[in-house]
Amino acid sequence: MALPVLALANVRVGYGGADVLDVPSLEIAEGEVLAVIGPNGSGKSTLLRVAGLLERPTTGRVSFGGCLVDATHALAERRRMAMVFQQPLLADMTVAENVGLGLAFRGVGADPSEARVSRWLERLNIAPLRDRRARTLSGGEAQRVALARALVVEPDLLLLDEPFAGLDAPSREALLPDLAAILRGDRLTTILVSHDRAEAQALADRVAVLIRGRISQLDETARVFYAPVSEEVARFVGVETIVTGRVLARDGGVTVVEVAGRKLEIAARGRPGDLVRLGIRPEDVTLTLPTEHAPLSSARNHLTGTIRHLVPSAPATRVVVDVGFPLVATVTARSAADLGLAEGLPITAVFKASAAHLIGPAGSAGGSPAGLLDTMTAPEL
Amino acid sequence: MTLLLDGVRAATGLIVSGDSEIWSILWLSLQVSGSATLIALLLGVPAGTALALARFPGRGLVVSAVNSGMGLPPVVVGLFVTILLWRSGPLGALEILYTPAAIVVAQAVIAAPIVTGITLAAVQQVPREFRLQLLALGASRVQMIWVVLREARLPMLAAVMAGFGGVISEIGASMMVGGNIKGQTRTLTTAMVLETSKGNFEAAIALSLLLLVLVFLVNWALTSIQQRRAL
């Protein structure tokens, strides 16, 4: 494998004795998009500042293109990177002048600069704004300018710090696919920091989950979302139902687990007798009225219970069903209306064997190492 | 009241007739205070910028000193510049006491803290995060400071106005280090004191009108730049 574009080794950042970041190792390969997700205050922005050579870690090494770099003397390396922040602070100039700033810093001449600026204004669909004063732009327009001024320098490493967090929903939904197309089309090596898992799912090849300054999981995007290694990660990536059960039996690829008196069939392997933690994503659970037949469904788990809570919100309504344990499902507002969902209503929750994942080992009630290995193979089933 | 009205009428006559002494006093004042403001800018802009961006122990004390310096009493400056330039003083060899150069020195001392203080405030109001974003775009430290100063240019015009306004209307220091010598170091303000003490109100009013118009014109010009750029 080629040298990583950026590598962190034993990086620790402490402010006043407390570690806000502790990363033994993190590498980003050429052409990949790595998303660093985590709750607010988990150290994501600190990690990005260290990666961007804007902050020197308390201890540890940062290598860029295979060479050790010290953030205090890293102008040449910084000029091979570009960073976009949550708040696009533009200079009081025109849009085109703002986009050209990075090129001016690098001593690129007026003519080549002009051509590159024009090309990137086009690619970010802001060419008509070129002569506007930057201070008169809307939030979404300003963020596009900030992206253009970073991309125009054609960086070896692009760093994005919550670039969508400050935007209203329509601007965000318009910008996300545009950026995804650019990142994929140009195979730009990118680190994206976000607290929004949907952005990570849309853009990233790999995801690192940062919790309290430590990387809890680093894996391909799908694996992080469908095979979280700990309960904390599971909750952060949107697994809402997390329960403990005991493995009763194994039957081919299916394991029977007893949870609060109900028998669940899951596609992950477990040893009979083991206590395991199970996670189920709410979007994998469908709801039907108990009177209806679901003959076409291949789902193995049909659990009847009563609706405890109903939380309408956009785009989906959250339903908590008591099936012996609280099971969370999301349904569209239309389905909720069609089914006549109401608190106290008897309802059947349905999910496939592959929708339930083992979570382990951290935080699990005695999850065995074998269980962890099984988890890793679960997405294929 | 008639004294005032007659005075204004006579003063207008003096100005319009082009009284050569009045015009040469005006010209000297402009040159002296203009040079002093320029020197204050050359010292105060870098100092204010450095203070705004640097973090060092005792910084709070220095900032407080600069802010106190913005209210430095001109007579105090006059006294110490006089001692400094006195024949037997540390800079006596320059032999510039009672020359326009001495007034420039004193006025620059008065204006420099004003320019420093306002520059400090102007640069500090450019967000720290903006500086970080410039560095993240590949700016060297000098390039970063250049763009930050460019961002702060509108509030910094206030530094020019306050500095010039402070020294053109100052009297204590000009009197002490200049000596109010006719035809050599007589400025608008020192001449006004003299004419008033002689009871020569027409001349004093003429000078005061010129001073007011001058201050207004300078501020009007700078304000119009500031307001046009702010839009």
Side-chain angles (χ1 to χ4, degrees):
Chain A
M1 192 179 130
L3 269 180
V5 174
L6 185 89
L8 307 186
N10 299 317
V11 161
R12 228 167 45 68
V13 176
Y15 298 133
D19 275 3
V20 295
L21 189 68
D22 185 354
V23 177
S25 165
L26 180 66
E27 294 187 349
I28 171 145
E30 195 174 337
E32 81 165 326
V33 178
L34 172 72
V36 178
I37 63 173
N40 291 332
S42 58
K44 304 186 299 292
S45 295
T46 307
L47 174 64
L48 207 63
R49 281 199 303 274
V50 169
L53 305 173
L54 294 171
E55 182 170 340
R56 201 178 174 192
T58 313
T59 58
R61 295 184 307 275
V62 181
S63 311
F64 183 65
C67 302
L68 273 184
V69 269
D70 178 350
T72 44
H73 314 280
L75 182 59
E77 287 82 3
R78 264 199 286 118
R79 286 188 172 164
R80 293 168 58 194
M81 307 179 175
M83 190 156 164
V84 177
F85 296 79
Q86 177 176 347
Q87 199 68 41
L89 296 176
L90 303 176
D92 186 15
M93 313 168 172
T94 68
V95 165
E97 285 168 329
N98 264 286
V99 174
L101 260 183
L103 296 174
F105 292 152
R106 287 159 178 78
V108 175
D111 287 345
S113 169
E114 172 68 30
R116 280 162 76 173
V117 166
S118 298
R119 186 164 83 241
W120 282 99
L121 289 174
E122 292 283 345
R123 286 192 76 178
L124 282 151
N125 298 320
I126 46 173
L129 302 177
R130 107 172 261 129
D131 296 319
R132 279 266 294 277
R133 305 228 31 113
R135 294 279 160 86
T136 65
L137 302 176
S138 72
E141 291 167 339
Q143 194 57 283
R144 280 174 187 268
V145 173
L147 278 165
R149 83 177 170 180
L151 289 163
V152 75
V153 305
E154 285 156 19
D156 294 344
L157 177 61
L158 179 66
L159 303 163
L160 305 172
D161 189 359
E162 302 267 13
F164 306 101
L167 303 182
D168 55 67
S171 310
R172 184 173 164 280
E173 277 149 29
L175 183 53
L176 195 59
D178 286 359
L179 182 62
I182 290 170
L183 295 187
R184 282 191 217 303
D186 294 16
R187 289 199 75 245
L188 263 167
T189 312
T190 305
I191 304 181
L192 164 76
V193 153
S194 175
H195 70 278
D196 185 308
R197 50 186 194 247
E199 288 166 16
Q201 263 180 320
L203 297 173
D205 301 312
R206 284 198 305 157
V207 171
V209 183
L210 198 66
I211 292 175
R212 287 186 299 276
R214 287 172 171 76
I215 294 179
S216 299
Q217 187 170 3
L218 171 60
D219 211 333
E220 283 162 29
T221 304
R223 306 261 275 227
V224 170
F225 283 91
Y226 290 99
V229 295
S230 73
E231 205 169 314
E232 244 176 340
V233 172
R235 290 204 186 283
F236 189 76
V237 299
V239 177
E240 294 201 38
T241 302
I242 299 177
V243 289
T244 305
R246 185 177 295 280
V247 177
L248 296 181
R250 271 187 60 193
D251 174 16
V254 173
T255 302
V256 182
V257 179
E258 186 192 327
V259 178
R262 310 297 293 255
K263 289 190 176 68
L264 309 186
E265 293 182 19
I266 68 167
R269 276 172 291 175
R271 266 200 312 257
D274 277 356
L275 274 180
V276 291
R277 290 290 270 172
L278 288 181
I280 304 163
R281 300 186 70 88
E283 63 270 26
D284 290 342
V285 180
T286 53
L287 298 179
T288 61
L289 293 174
T291 49
E292 286 177 357
H293 296 289
L296 294 176
S297 170
S298 66
R300 291 192 176 238
N301 297 292
H302 296 254
L303 302 174
T304 299
T306 45
I307 297 178
R308 278 277 161 269
H309 301 289
L310 201 61
V311 188
S313 92
T317 296
R318 242 176 116 255
V319 187
V320 183
V321 184
D322 184 359
V323 294
F325 57 89
L327 179 63
V328 185
T330 45
V331 295
T332 62
R334 174 168 290 272
S335 308
D338 289 350
L339 291 169
L341 296 186
E343 287 175 8
L345 188 80
I347 199 88
T348 302
V350 180
F351 58 91
K352 293 182 175 183
S354 60
H357 308 283
L358 289 179
I359 299 169
S364 72
S368 65
L372 173 64
L373 283 174
D374 289 346
T375 305
M376 294 308 187
T377 59
E380 277 85 55
L381 288 165
Chain B
M1 203 59 198
T2 42
L3 192 62
L4 183 65
L5 288 178
D6 289 349
V8 170
R9 201 172 300 126
T12 317
L14 272 178
I15 295 168
V16 173
S17 72
D19 181 289
S20 67
E21 195 187 339
I22 286 185
W23 286 104
S24 66
I25 288 174
L26 172 71
W27 177 232
L28 178 74
S29 292
L30 252 180
Q31 279 180 298
V32 165
S33 296
S35 314
T37 307
L38 197 68
I39 294 171
L41 284 172
L42 291 177
L43 297 173
V45 171
T49 307
L51 262 182
L53 301 182
R55 293 285 173 277
F56 54 90
R59 180 179 174 274
L61 213 63
V62 177
V63 172
S64 300
V66 168
N67 287 335
S68 313
M70 290 174 79
L72 210 54
V75 278
V76 175
V77 175
L79 169 65
F80 286 100
V81 172
T82 303
I83 292 170
L84 211 64
L85 298 177
W86 198 257
R87 192 174 293 275
S88 56
L91 298 176
L94 293 175
E95 299 195 335
I96 57 168
L97 193 59
Y98 305 127
T99 70
I103 310 181
V104 171
V105 171
Q107 292 194 344
V109 171
I110 294 166
I114 299 176
V115 173
T116 307
I118 295 178
T119 303
L120 169 67
V123 171
Q124 258 176 351
Q125 59 125 54
V126 176
R128 210 185 95 80
E129 173 85 2
F130 180 72
R131 282 155 31 206
L132 192 73
Q133 297 199 6
L134 294 177
L135 293 175
L137 280 176
S140 68
R141 219 175 146 66
V142 174
Q143 289 169 333
M144 181 270 282
I145 289 169
W146 177 250
V147 178
V148 166
L149 282 178
R150 200 184 169 284
E151 286 302 289
R153 65 198 184 278
L154 298 184
M156 276 174 57
L157 277 176
V160 181
M161 288 191 256
F164 183 78
V167 292
I168 189 80
S169 49
E170 166 290 317
I171 167 151
S174 302
M175 192 75 107
M176 291 162 89
V177 306
N180 193 25
I181 301 164
K182 186 175 179 178
Q184 288 176 35
T185 58
R186 184 160 296 172
T187 64
L188 283 171
T189 53
T190 58
M192 218 183 298
V193 171
L194 183 73
E195 300 301 343
T196 305
S197 66
K198 289 198 304 199
N200 192 359
F201 294 125
E202 290 108 45
I205 293 173
L207 292 163
S208 73
L209 286 178
L210 282 179
L211 178 60
L212 285 175
V213 169
L214 179 63
V215 170
F216 174 77
L217 283 180
V218 169
N219 281 287
W220 181 54
L222 293 173
T223 307
S224 62
I225 298 173
Q226 191 181 44
Q227 295 305 312
R228 194 177 64 231
R229 302 302 290 272
L231 291 177

